[in-house]
Amino acid sequence: MYIKQIIIQGFKSYKEQTVIEPFSPKHNVIVGRNGSGKSNFFAAIRFVLSDAYTQMGREERQALLHEGSGSAVMSAYVEIIFDNADERFPTGREELILRRTIGLKKDEYSLDRKNATKADVMNLLESAGFSRSNPYYIVPQGRVTTLTNMKDPERLNLLKEVAGTQVYEARRVESLKIMTETNNKRSKIDELLDYIRERLAELEEEKEELRTYQDKDRERRCLEYTIYHREQVEIANALDNLDEQRQEGVDETDSSRERFLAGEQEINETTSEINEVRQQLELLRVDKRQLEEERRESARARAKIELDVKSLSDGQSREQKLLARHQEELQEVQQAIRQRETELSTIQPEFEQKRRQENDIKAQLDDAEGTRQRLYGKQGRSAQFKSKKERDNWLRKEIEEANVTMGTRKATRMQLDEDSKSLRQEITRIESDVADLRQKFEGRGASLQSAAEEVQTAKDERDRLMDERKELWREEAKLGTSVESARQELERADRTLSHTMDQNTSRGLAAVRRIKRQHNLDGVYGTLAELMDVNEKYRTAIEVTAGNSLFHCVVDNDETATKVLETLQREKSGRLTFMPLNRLNPRSGNVPKSADAVPMLEKIRFDPQYEKAFEQVFGKTIICPNLQIAAQYARSHGINAITPDGDRSDKKGALTGGFHDPRQSRLEAVKKVSKWREDYEERKERKTTVQRSIERKDQEITRAFGELQKKEQAKQQLEGSFSPLQAELRGKTSYLDRQKDSLDAKTRQRENVEGGLRMLGEQLAAAEAELTSDFKKVLSNDEEQQLESLNGSTQQLRQQYSQVSAKRSELEGRRSLLDVELRENLRPRLDQLRSQEFDSMEAGGQSSLKESQRALRKISQAVDAVEKRLKEVDAGIDQADSQLNELEQGRAERQRQQEEIARSIEKYQKRMERSMAKKALLSEKATECSRNIRDLGVLPEEAFERFERTASNTIVKRLHKVNESLKKYSHVNKKAFEQYNNFTKQRETLTKRRGELGSSQTSIEELIEVLDQRKDEAIERTFKQVSREFAAIFEKLVPAGRGRLIIQRKADRVQQEEEEEDSEEEEQRQSVENYTGVGISVSFNSKHDEQQRIQQLSGGQKSLCALALVFAIQRCDPAPFYLFDEIDANLDAQYRTAVANMLKTISEQSENGQFICTTFRPEMVMVADKCYGVLYANKTSSIDVARREEALKFVEGEKQ
């Protein structure tokens, strides 16, 4: 085993976590400058392994924590990792991690990352070879100097410490203390024995006088017993008589009480019925008030509607006459329009035919006139032009002008065609619009009728919804009264229940219900009383058994209970006991299997989910028919037993019982609270449902009003759209006529343009033909003949044109007249008549007689229904009043009977109280007699029969004589026999104890002698071993010299040094108490020269001797490893080399020879297996591995 690794953090100069690279199991050397932290490193190891840092104050703890720049260090720890491959630590692991952590308020150890006590750590270290009696496996800086300057007596104490004599010294001191206490006890026992002997002599005289007194006293007690016994028998007889009378009274009282309780229950039931009837009566009265109000409103509405119907009926005949006259005029206008349109439709085709014929004739006439004019022009050119050239030039100019004119006219014709086409399209569109408008105009009556019907349907729907809402309002009012009644009953039941428990519990239960509702805690189930259902027969027994546990709250787990408890504590809302089902572990009782012992759990109905809670409270209780059987089962089976009346016998034998008023039943109170709470919540929920229905109905009514408004607005729009529709129809008709006139004008203009084009074409053709012909002075024969023919045909065409044009003009005039009459007279009149019809319809739609009559029928039906319901409600109220009177009379009669029964019970109770007072007095006398008999003590056998037949007067006289004679012995010691026996026993006990103390003192003296002998042997053995090892080690360190240890005695102080060389056998015969010190005698130059004492040596030689002593002690008690802090500081070079070689030899030869040393010298570095360097920067130390060359270089630098 060896130290494998050390981790330091926050300890002295090691602020940051310093993880030192694993050490060599042999020789390790640490180098560093002064103040760098080498000694702090050794202090860290001692901090964990030794007792140097125990029982520290705050300042001492603060001194161990790192103090430097930066954040303050609040705690520090040192962790040592041991290699446990040899299993020297009995942990079963290859490594052992030991850590100690210290702070201003803590000091903790841990083994393998687990917390451990300091005692555990120290015991583990001692089991691995860390001897607390030999702390020299750690040699801190200055320890060698201390050993060097140590005096001989101090060196002897060191040897004793190494030898382990502290244990012997402690046991010896303890033994001497015990022996002193034993001597003191023997002295006290001797004093007590002397006193007892004197007291026994006095008691011998008092015993004889006491015997005479006892004879007299025995007779007195026999007499007194006889008197007391006779009085006791008389009292017992009187008590038996009282018990018989009491039992008769109890039976009669029980019968009266049963009748009283039955009457109370009947009164309660009657009161409940009365409350229900009153509630029903109140609801009927509320209903009646609402119906009467509704009847008044309906009556006012019916009166108004009746007036409207009468007014409409009066004006109906006049409107019918006006409507008939209007219809006749409308028919006349429509007939005239049809006639004019028929005539117009007949004239139009003929007019079109004549116009076409006129156009054809005019075209022929124009062609003939043109040809004739051209021929005349050609004929006159011979005079106009002199040559063909001039003619041709003129013709060409005419042709050019004709072409230009034709182009212009063709463009005009195209424009006229486009305009005519647009006009026709516009006319077609306008005609379609006019037809649509006329169709709308004609169908407007049906639309108005349909709109009126839709408005009426919407009104009916609105009225229906409002009636339904009235019913819901009525239901809400009833439920409001019902909810208020249920709330009052619930408050009354809550008050009754709260009177059965303390205030804190009551507040706690209310708070738990509120917390459950607010936090939605499904795991809070309720109290035991709320979770069970019990037959009325066993209610009293269960209440008595449960006690306050009835109001314990059952929850699913302790987490829920904790959450609720924290809320109760925070809000200061009372106190409550919780039963977490996950924590309950009830034990079943020894329940007997018998017909007269029923387990209480079998009489309770509850959800199996809560079985643990009920078994916890009721699992060890049985129900028995009477108290005697209950007491038997309680004693025999070790369980609690109870009767149905609540008389209880527990397993310890205590009996509890008495009267329990069933009217004060807590279970009944809980049941009522639960019933009314459920009733209240149900009624409240129903009221909420009705309120939601009212809200939904309000929304439906709002939507119905919206729909009604939309329908009325549509109707109003339809009614108000006639004038715009009429104006629009009039405008479009006028516009259509104008467009038709424009189309006619365009058509005539196009015909003119077309004729002109035709003439220009003929002129152009003639000019072009003439241009190609020869220039002649006269026309040709053909042309002459054509000209003559044209003159005749022209005249004929003019006559035809005149006839056709006249006929066409006549037809056009008639058509225009008809058109104007239709346009300006008949159709406007038709529109006016229809407008008047629609106005009449609109005026009649606002206050229609039919609608008013329908409303009147509806309101009449509503009034009849209200009247019918009022009659039903009045009948219900009368019936409820009658029933209420009957119930109140019955309750009053029953209360009178109850008062009589109560007076009877009170009379019996007063009688029973007198009997009980008399019984109490007799019982007190009986108790006094029993106490007097008991005070007589143990009576002789003759006392029970000696004076049985003697008269009471004789017994009293004889008792007086005996008491007078006993006065003579008033000074007698009545405890003489007892005291004599006690003192005798004490003498025997003390004598025996004195012998035991003598034997104990002898044993202690023998133990002290053995301890002294063992201590002497241990010191002598240790001295020999250390002395031998010292001589061997000194010889290795100083081969040319010799050294030895010398033990000094008191007798040797005046003797010479040579006398110290006596034989070892003589030394063994001397006692250790004669030892005064241990000296060191050495020689450095020769093994035969005169040796010197350590006081005569130089400083280096003294240090070497001290090191030799340390090595000798360590060899006597080897440790797993050794820590040396600058042990070679005062040694010369040759001695440093010798010490280094010795360390190397020990580490290589021994299995447990690990050395960790600090040094400023090169000798140890040369033999080290591993070197480490300590650096100090920013007030913080650190350790790292260094090569031997670096370590040597550092050491040489330190020397310079």
Side-chain angles (χ1 to χ4, degrees), residues 796-826:
Q796 186 179 0
L797 287 172
R798 281 197 182 98
Q799 292 177 355
Q800 292 178 359
Y801 179 76
S802 297
Q803 294 174 358
V804 171
S805 178
K807 185 65 175 175
R808 190 265 312 161
S809 297
E810 181 183 355
L811 291 173
E812 185 175 6
R814 181 59 181 170
R815 190 193 72 162
S816 298
L817 182 62
L818 292 173
D819 192 17
V820 169
E821 187 178 5
L822 285 172
R823 186 190 306 172
E824 301 295 336
N825 184 15
L826 294 176

Side-chain angles (χ1 to χ4, degrees), residues 1027 1030-1046 1057 1061 1080-1093 1097 1104-1105 1108 1135:
S1027 178
F1030 178 82
I1033 290 171
F1034 190 85
E1035 186 176 356
K1036 289 182 180 180
L1037 295 176
V1038 187
R1042 182 169 71 95
R1044 63 177 179 143
L1045 297 179
I1046 301 173
E1057 185 178 350
E1061 300 178 359
I1080 299 177
S1081 178
V1082 296
S1083 173
F1084 282 85
N1085 298 324
S1086 172
K1087 296 183 178 181
H1088 303 289
D1089 291 346
E1090 182 179 357
Q1091 295 183 347
Q1092 296 176 323
R1093 292 295 182 96
L1097 302 177
L1104 185 66
C1105 292
Y1135 298 139

Side-chain angles (χ1 to χ4, degrees), residues 1109-1169:
L1109 180 59
V1110 169
F1111 289 139
I1113 292 172
Q1114 290 176 348
R1115 281 196 176 183
C1116 291
D1117 190 3
F1121 58 85
Y1122 302 96
L1123 305 177
F1124 293 154
D1125 188 7
E1126 297 183 12
I1127 61 174
D1128 57 351
N1130 299 325
L1131 298 180
D1132 297 334
Q1134 59 176 342
Y1135 298 139
R1136 291 198 298 271
T1137 302
V1139 170
N1141 291 332
M1142 175 172 286
L1143 293 179
K1144 181 178 181 181
T1145 303
I1146 293 173
S1147 64
E1148 291 177 351
Q1149 292 179 355
S1150 175
E1151 293 182 358
N1152 297 314
Q1154 185 187 37
F1155 288 90
I1156 301 176
C1157 309
T1158 62
T1159 184
F1160 283 106
R1161 308 298 181 182
E1163 287 79 10
M1164 281 195 182
V1165 176
M1166 294 298 294
V1167 300
D1169 292 323

Side-chain angles (χ1 to χ4, degrees), residues 361-384:
I361 293 173
K362 190 172 185 309
Q364 292 175 8
L365 179 62
D366 290 341
D367 291 343
E369 286 289 341
T371 304
R372 192 161 66 88
Q373 290 297 330
R374 285 192 300 274
L375 288 174
Y376 282 128
K378 185 177 179 182
Q379 184 179 7
R381 286 192 187 92
S382 61
Q384 185 181 359

Side-chain angles (χ1 to χ4, degrees), residues 209 967-974:
E209 188 178 10
K967 290 180 181 179
K968 300 177 183 178
Y969 299 97
S970 58
H971 64 281
V972 71
N973 183 7
K974 300 177 181 179

Side-chain angles (χ1 to χ4, degrees), residues 107-125:
D107 187 2
E108 301 172 348
Y109 285 88
S110 68
L111 290 170
D112 289 334
R113 313 295 184 192
K114 298 179 181 179
N115 290 336
T117 62
K118 181 179 179 182
D120 295 337
V121 172
M122 294 305 168
N123 292 334
L124 183 65
L125 292 176

Side-chain angles (χ1 to χ4, degrees), residues 954-970:
T954 306
I955 293 174
V956 171
K957 292 178 181 178
R958 189 165 181 176
L959 177 61
H960 179 70
K961 287 183 180 180
V962 171
N963 286 333
E964 289 295 328
S965 61
L966 283 174
K967 290 180 181 179
K968 300 177 183 178
Y969 299 97
S970 58

Side-chain angles (χ1 to χ4, degrees), residues 1023-1024 1027 1044-1049 1051-1053 1055-1070:
F1023 173 75
K1024 291 176 183 178
S1027 178
R1044 63 177 179 143
L1045 297 179
I1046 301 173
I1047 193 163
Q1048 297 177 352
R1049 302 177 181 85
D1052 296 338
R1053 293 179 180 178
Q1055 294 181 0
Q1056 300 298 325
E1057 185 178 350
E1058 63 270 9
E1059 294 178 359
E1060 295 176 0
E1061 300 178 359
D1062 296 334
S1063 63
E1064 295 181 359
E1065 294 180 359
E1066 186 178 355
E1067 290 178 1
Q1068 292 177 357
R1069 289 192 299 268
Q1070 300 296 326

